[in-house]
Amino acid sequence: MKGQQLSTTEPLKLINQFLKSGVMIGEHWEASKVGSPQGGVISPLISNIYLDAFDQEMKKRNHRIVRYADDILILCCTEKAAQDALTKATQILEQDLKLTVNTKKTHIAHSNKGVKFLGVEIGSRYTRIQSSKLKGFKRKVKQLTKRNSGINLVEIIKRLNPVIRGFVNYFSIANCKGELKALAGWIRRRLRAVQLKLWKKPTRLHRRLKQLNFKPPFEFIKMNSWRNTNSPLSKYAMPNLWFEELGLYSIEQVNTGWLAPSAFRKTK
């Protein structure tokens, strides 16, 4: 049975429906009057369609550009060339395509000092994660690893893994091996804090140590102390391997930098 072919107008009708579908502001629907809704699922596709004319015009002028949706990076060899490229790009976007360039975000930067783009900072010899993105990731982890949640560790790890995996798969293209190692240690400390809180009493911790063939006497530590999550007793009772056995996504094993594409194949 042959597949039914769509007419050339069908995609345009679909895009038109997206543009006129409106947006939800809290619990209320608001009509879309002009353009694509900010943050809408269709926005990147709409941007790619509309800005193709910009790409082609810049290509004709031999400008090297990197663009994702409406985030644009133009690569130049000199400051004068960068100024000329900025002037021309602004002209195309504002005069030809009737868009407004965000002057607060638009600037010229040298790779020696780092160029911020799509959450990473690109330098002449490195690419690293922007500090604001690291802070945002930590906020999400803290929300999922609250000590007073009463949720068991396996369930917390189950909820945590998609957040960790998404962050790592996106940013592993950066030279972030050191950052990921530090994050992995910090996440395990957060999880140790949860488990100590769940055990409540040091005797439960001591029982766990005995099960692992450690010999008493053991020190009585405060189970709600952040400092004690890094104590030898906590690490002996909850070693790194234990978290892997519970299913925690291991970010220390992920390849980073120019090796990142091979990491994506391994983690699928």
Side-chain angles (χ1 to χ4, degrees), residues 246-259:
L246 291 178
L248 180 65
Y249 182 73
S250 178
I251 63 178
E252 291 170 298
Q253 305 302 318
V254 175
N255 290 327
T256 60
W258 65 275
L259 291 173

Side-chain angles (χ1 to χ4, degrees), residues 6 12 30 42 54 58 70 83 94 99 111 119 131 133 139 156 159 164 167 170 186-187 192 199 218:
L6 294 174
L12 293 178
E30 186 175 299
I42 198 68
F54 171 81
M58 296 298 283
D70 58 352
Q83 290 285 0
E94 295 193 331
L99 299 172
S111 60
S131 59
K133 301 302 179 183
R139 280 196 299 270
I156 289 176
R159 298 179 184 183
I164 299 174
F167 178 84
Y170 182 88
W186 175 76
I187 290 170
R192 288 190 183 104
W199 279 336
F218 303 119

Side-chain angles (χ1 to χ4, degrees), residues 149-187:
S149 67
I151 304 173
N152 69 70
L153 209 60
V154 172
E155 180 61 26
I156 289 176
I157 289 173
K158 184 179 178 181
R159 298 179 184 183
L160 190 60
N161 276 342
V163 175
I164 299 174
R165 188 179 290 110
F167 178 84
V168 172
N169 283 350
Y170 182 88
F171 286 108
S172 61
I173 193 66
N175 306 114
C176 58
K177 199 72 175 177
E179 285 87 349
L180 294 188
K181 184 177 180 180
L183 282 175
W186 175 76
I187 290 170

Side-chain angles (χ1 to χ4, degrees), residues 59 77 95 102 127 135 150 163 165 173 182-183 245 265:
K59 186 178 179 181
C77 294
Q95 296 182 17
N102 189 332
T127 302
K135 291 177 181 177
V163 175
R165 188 179 290 110
I173 193 66
L183 282 175
E245 292 171 349
R265 290 194 294 271

